[in-house]
Amino acid sequence: MLGSTGSSARLRFRLLGPLGAEAQDRPLDLGPLKQRLVLAFLLCRPNTPVSVDTLTEVVWQDEPPRTARKNLQVYVSTLRRLFASVDAGREWLVHRPGGYLIRVDESELDTLRFQSLLRAGREAAADACDEAAHERAGALFAEALHLWSGPPLAELGHSPLVRAAAERLGAAHVSAVEDWAEVQLRLDNPRPVVNALADLAEQHPLRERLRALQLTALHQAGRRTEALAVYSELRQQLSRELGLSPSPELDACYRAVLTDQGSAARSPRPPARAAADAGEGPNGERLARAATRAPRPQPCTNRLPQVPAGFTGRAEELDDLVATVRSGRRLVAVTGPVGIGKTTLAVQAAHWLRDDFPDGQLFVRLARPDGTVRTPAEVVAELGRDTTSDEPAPASAEDALSAWRTWLGTRRLLLVLDDARDVESVRALLPEQGPASVVLTSRAPLVTAGAAARFELPPFTPQEALDLLAAVIGRRRVCCDPAAAEAIVTSCGLLPLAVSVAAHKLSVLRHVPLAEFADRLTDPHGLLDELAVGPVAVRLPLGDQWNALDVPERAALAQLGPLPLSVPFTLDQAADLMGRDHRHALREVERLIAAGVVVSPVDEVSAHAARYVLPPLTHVYARERV
């Protein structure tokens, strides 16, 4: 009950930020790290027994000492004495048959207070017609958010169970911000929403409700071009990373922005699907027109995707890439086949280089979700979201490109151009000189021929792949059956994307032995079906790669399908399968190398003696298409 809160509680605990406790406004010393871990996890499950085994895993993960149970008893006894020194008449920590529990109420624990305020705010916000109720809901949401003092329990995040609990609290915080933002938009108060959602949307780029609110707030604030760019970016990310289309609610917001319907944009229910999409051609003409209307670019903020959780390996490549950019190279390229981790490496390096580029960092994809190349005008429209001012808009798409190049030529900015498909689309965006640097990723080596430096990523080493698997499912599980773990990463072709998908699937299927899952991956007919979890599937980027090939390239790749999996092939074998002479077969193989589908030898060797490599998962996909 909200009415039960007051100032009478002498001891209060905090989880919505660093772990803390205070008595009569004075902080308490909660003791050593392991003792704080015990208290933090008990508070994450208030008034609920937590087993000794769970607390042991919280504190020591996979390597508890023989004295773990006795040590836990010491930590609990010490905390009891500490709390008794504040309130001797209260039993805070209790032992039950199910384990230990901590007794707290809403006035004593900020997470309980937060949840109570959220419930009350949502009840008030449910009255769609009462403006006073919306104002009351906004005040309750604001009070709930005021309880936060930073990322929850960040200092204890080395414990996976505590980290998972903190992530759940973080998700509740994002949801609360969304509730607050929705109420503010109903009250026609978009400006604080725009400011509040900017960083949050960068941290959660695929959260559709958050992005819909951001889009609507920008529209209500009169920033229509930026709203359209937000939608365009999200639509591409959803398709590319999850294989999904925007939700009906998000589409409704987008149509409201397109038709400039402010009242529809504020509506809590999406308008019916209409012909608002009519006239939007496949080549992004509407975005191109937005580029011509966009103000000239001005200083921007850092806009980089988050690095995937559990990023591991690539230490040497990462150091080399960062050092190369710092050496003053203006254009650095990262190449390799699908799933090799080009984008992840480039983004991680860009985060490391943040202090080297005071004018900002921008990330943009150069291909549409269907694999076709975006026009420079489309790309400039997206870049303009973060680099706009109130100056007069350029008169044409060419003027917009010229304005962008002029601006970039005077800024020390890092631009990450992802998934380049042709040289022209890259060159059109870059000035001839200036202090900016560009990191370019591409599957096709020839696209990067003009780069000052090029890094061709190899697959993971077996140890790097096993480290990634262990980072997701736990090292104990990997160590229990190392042969099966190695078989899994080998079946994944040592590709970071495939290993990551397999690891996350196993983290959900905790009951499945590694040996059983490894056996599933031995069947090439079901391999790609197994490398999928929820909406994330390895087949999606492989299909994107296939769609980006022209018809002769697809035919040549399909003809190589009968080759033995994971075995290098020769020109003689390719010629036999293609039914061509050596000269024509060599031409087809080299076209596939240029497209980034076939990997050529590293050492110099004659074309007839060379042993070419078809990446395993690309090979399996080609067999499927046949």
Side-chain angles (χ1 to χ4, degrees):
M1 296 289 294
L2 284 173
S4 69
T5 60
S7 60
S8 59
R10 301 179 62 196
L11 182 57
R12 294 186 176 87
F13 300 96
R14 297 189 310 276
L15 295 181
L16 303 181
L19 174 67
E22 59 184 30
Q24 297 178 336
D25 298 325
R26 297 179 61 183
L28 294 181
D29 182 356
L30 298 176
L33 175 63
K34 291 182 174 59
Q35 185 169 296
R36 297 200 308 275
L37 282 169
V38 171
L39 175 61
F41 199 76
L42 290 172
L43 289 171
C44 287
R45 298 185 180 180
N47 307 307
T48 303
V50 179
S51 70
V52 171
D53 286 344
T54 298
L55 289 175
T56 300
E57 186 175 354
V58 166
V59 177
W60 291 283
Q61 290 84 62
D62 298 332
E63 299 178 357
R66 287 181 297 176
T67 59
R69 185 176 294 268
K70 182 177 294 185
N71 291 351
L72 286 176
Q73 292 172 349
V74 171
Y75 299 145
V76 171
S77 297
T78 303
L79 290 170
R80 279 177 176 154
R81 290 195 297 272
L82 175 65
F83 301 154
S85 68
V86 176
D87 188 348
R90 171 82 173 271
E91 189 176 17
W92 296 87
L93 282 168
V94 182
H95 186 263
R96 290 283 185 265
Y100 293 100
L101 67 82
I102 187 166
R103 291 172 168 169
V104 287
D105 61 34
E106 179 190 320
S107 66
E108 296 159 342
L109 179 59
D110 57 358
T111 55
L112 295 178
R113 173 67 174 162
F114 174 73
Q115 293 164 4
S116 181
L117 288 165
L118 281 190
R119 285 193 298 270
R122 287 165 180 164
E123 289 174 4
D127 191 341
C129 300
D130 187 346
E131 185 169 334
H134 293 166
E135 292 177 349
R136 184 166 65 256
L140 289 166
F141 290 142
E143 185 178 351
L145 294 171
H146 187 68
L147 295 171
W148 288 73
S149 60
L153 306 176
E155 76 282 13
L156 304 177
H158 63 279
S159 169
L161 290 182
V162 172
R163 184 169 65 250
E167 288 171 353
R168 289 191 291 271
L169 290 174
H173 176 260
V174 177
S175 181
V177 173
E178 291 170 338
D179 290 336
W180 167 84
E182 187 171 291
V183 168
Q184 297 304 314
L185 294 178
R186 289 183 185 179
L187 295 171
D188 200 18
N189 189 25
R191 297 193 182 280
V193 176
V194 170
N195 295 333
L197 298 191
D199 290 339
L200 205 58
E202 183 178 352
Q203 297 166 21
H204 305 277
L206 299 180
R207 191 176 175 101
E208 292 197 76
R209 184 190 179 201
L210 179 66
R211 301 307 292 271
L213 289 165
Q214 183 188 29
L215 186 153
T216 303
L218 287 166
H219 184 206
Q220 285 190 21
R223 296 160 65 172
R224 187 165 174 251
T225 299
E226 294 176 69
L228 291 171
V230 165
Y231 178 85
S232 174
E233 177 189 42
L234 177 58
R235 181 173 58 181
Q236 293 169 44
Q237 285 183 290
L238 285 170
S239 177
R240 188 176 199 82
E241 298 180 24
L242 300 179
L244 299 175
S245 299
S247 66
E249 292 80 6
L250 192 58
D251 270 341
C253 293
Y254 172 59
R255 291 195 301 275
V257 176
L258 278 177
T259 56
D260 207 16
Q261 296 173 357
S263 59
R266 289 192 293 271
S267 172
R269 298 178 60 188
R273 185 175 293 273
D277 298 325
E280 182 166 6
N283 296 321
E285 293 90 346
R286 196 179 293 272
L287 273 176
R289 291 197 295 273
T292 67
R293 294 194 301 269
R296 291 175 59 189
Q298 292 296 312
C300 63
T301 56
N302 291 293
R303 297 294 182 190
L304 293 173
Q306 295 295 110
V307 177
F311 176 83
T312 185
R314 302 297 195 205
E316 183 177 344
E317 292 90 344
L318 187 57
D319 286 343
D320 289 346
L321 179 55
V322 169
T324 300
V325 175
R326 281 180 172 157
S327 71
R329 302 290 182 92
R330 294 189 65 236
L331 179 59
V332 181
V334 180
T335 66
V338 167
I340 205 73
K342 303 179 293 295
T343 302
T344 299
L345 181 72
V347 170
Q348 178 68 79
H351 279 287
W352 281 22
L353 290 161
R354 177 166 295 214
D355 292 341
D356 295 80
F357 294 92
D359 290 327
Q361 296 169 300
L362 297 176
F363 174 94
V364 63
R365 297 191 187 278
L366 299 182
R368 302 189 187 98
D370 63 1
T372 57
V373 177
R374 299 175 70 191
T375 66
E378 289 179 74
V379 175
V380 167
E382 180 177 338
L383 291 168
R385 181 196 65 179
D386 300 311
T387 57
T388 57
S389 75
D390 296 327
E391 295 182 23
S396 66
E398 186 56 41
D399 288 344
L401 275 170
S402 177
W404 160 257
R405 288 192 295 262
T406 299
W407 176 82
L408 184 61
T410 62
R411 298 304 195 282
R412 185 159 179 76
L413 176 140
L414 181 62
L415 183 62
V416 180
L417 301 178
D418 188 49
D419 200 10
R421 303 294 175 84
D422 64 80
V423 178
E424 289 72 22
S425 62
V426 175
R427 289 176 178 166
L429 297 170
L430 306 181
E432 293 185 2
Q433 56 186 3
S437 290
V438 176
V439 175
L440 172 74
T441 74
S442 178
R443 301 172 197 153
L446 291 183
V447 169
T448 64
R454 184 162 68 89
F455 294 84
E456 186 169 354
L457 286 188
F460 267 164
T461 65
Q463 188 57 55
E464 285 177 326
L466 290 170
D467 286 344
L468 175 56
L469 185 66
V472 178
I473 71 172
R475 191 158 296 277
R476 173 188 288 179
R477 197 172 173 191
V478 170
C479 292
C480 285
D481 195 345
E486 188 169 348
I488 289 170
V489 300
T490 301
S491 294
C492 291
L494 300 178
L495 288 177
L497 173 63
V499 175
S500 177
V501 171
H504 283 91
K505 185 169 185 175
L506 284 167
S507 72
V508 174
L509 305 178
R510 300 183 65 179
H511 64 286
V512 175
L514 296 192
E516 178 182 324
F517 189 69
D519 186 60
R520 293 186 197 177
L521 299 183
T522 59
D523 178 13
H525 300 291
L527 176 60
L528 298 184
D529 291 326
E530 292 293 346
L531 293 178
V533 56
V536 181
V538 171
R539 182 179 276 106
L540 296 176
L542 291 171
D544 182 24
Q545 173 183 252
W546 177 272
N547 293 333
L549 299 175
D550 60 28
V551 174
E553 289 168 346
R554 293 180 195 174
L557 179 57
Q559 288 169 331
L560 296 177
L563 287 166
L565 288 172
S566 303
V567 177
F569 66 93
T570 65
L571 185 60
D572 286 340
Q573 291 173 295
D576 289 342
L577 288 169
M578 293 177 179
R580 312 290 293 273
D581 59 39
H582 280 193
R583 182 168 61 88
H584 287 92
L586 178 60
R587 184 178 302 166
E588 296 299 332
V589 169
E590 290 183 347
R591 286 185 64 177
L592 294 177
I593 293 173
V597 177
V598 168
V599 180
S600 61
V602 176
D603 299 324
E604 283 191 12
V605 62
S606 71
H608 289 77
R611 298 182 66 81
Y612 304 94
V613 174
L614 192 57
L617 299 185
T618 297
H619 196 164
V620 171
Y621 187 85
R623 285 186 173 185
E624 283 191 357
R625 296 306 300 241
V626 174

